[in-house]
Amino acid sequence: MPVPFTVDHAYDRARASDGVSRYGHYLREAVAADHGLVWGFEDETDRQHAFAALAWRTATGPVMAPGYVRYHHLILGAEVYRSSWDGALLASVQLATSPPAGLARMRQWADWPTELRGEHYVPVGPYEQQIGHRSDYQTGYALTTVSLEFGLHDVMLPPPPATPTSRGAVYVGRDTIEALVEALNIVVAPILDVS
């Protein structure tokens, strides 16, 4: 079964400006830029979810490129966020997929163009030149995606740091990312397996 998300510990250590963790540096900057909003919640679960969302945003692009969290080559994007409705922790993952059978039979429509990146061919949007060559009004690119929207109700998150300046905030951030990656992989891996 494919692994949707991984944490690249080796790259993180090797590229750390502080000699410890590249992600840690970015997380400290994100916490400082947050101006204490995470810690403005009275309820610890709300702080936990807000910190998890901040930790995820920091660990992925565009904040970190390459990200501390790496995606399977068919994943176009992933977000973890706190619901403004009830404070629940939610996730959104977008996957590049082949077109449904009805579109697939229409052979004049092209599927995702790909580029070799590392060991995999990664789906990319077509360039304007590619689109222009398919301009007879009956052909083009059918770029299909699946958007997974789900709650992360059972994820076992560590308690959030006590304050924005807590010395252990980076370690809590790293443990939070590990918990999120594990939870996301449980949900997304079976979908990737059939994509």
Side-chain angles (χ1 to χ4, degrees), residues 74 76 93-100 111-112 123 142-148:
L74 293 179
L76 301 174
V93 178
Q94 292 73 44
L95 307 170
T97 61
S98 297
D111 198 353
W112 285 93
L143 307 180
T144 54
T145 60
V146 170
S147 182
L148 307 174

Side-chain angles (χ1 to χ4, degrees), residues 34-55:
D34 182 62
H35 303 293
L37 294 176
V38 166
W39 290 268
F41 293 104
E42 289 185 28
D43 181 71
E44 182 173 347
T45 301
D46 285 331
R47 284 193 306 276
Q48 195 175 36
H49 291 173
F51 182 76
L54 175 70

Side-chain angles (χ1 to χ4, degrees), residues 138-162:
Q138 295 185 21
T139 63
Y141 287 87
L143 307 180
T144 54
T145 60
V146 170
S147 182
L148 307 174
E149 310 289 332
F150 54 96
L152 294 168
H153 307 293
D154 298 328
V155 63
M156 299 298 294
L157 296 171

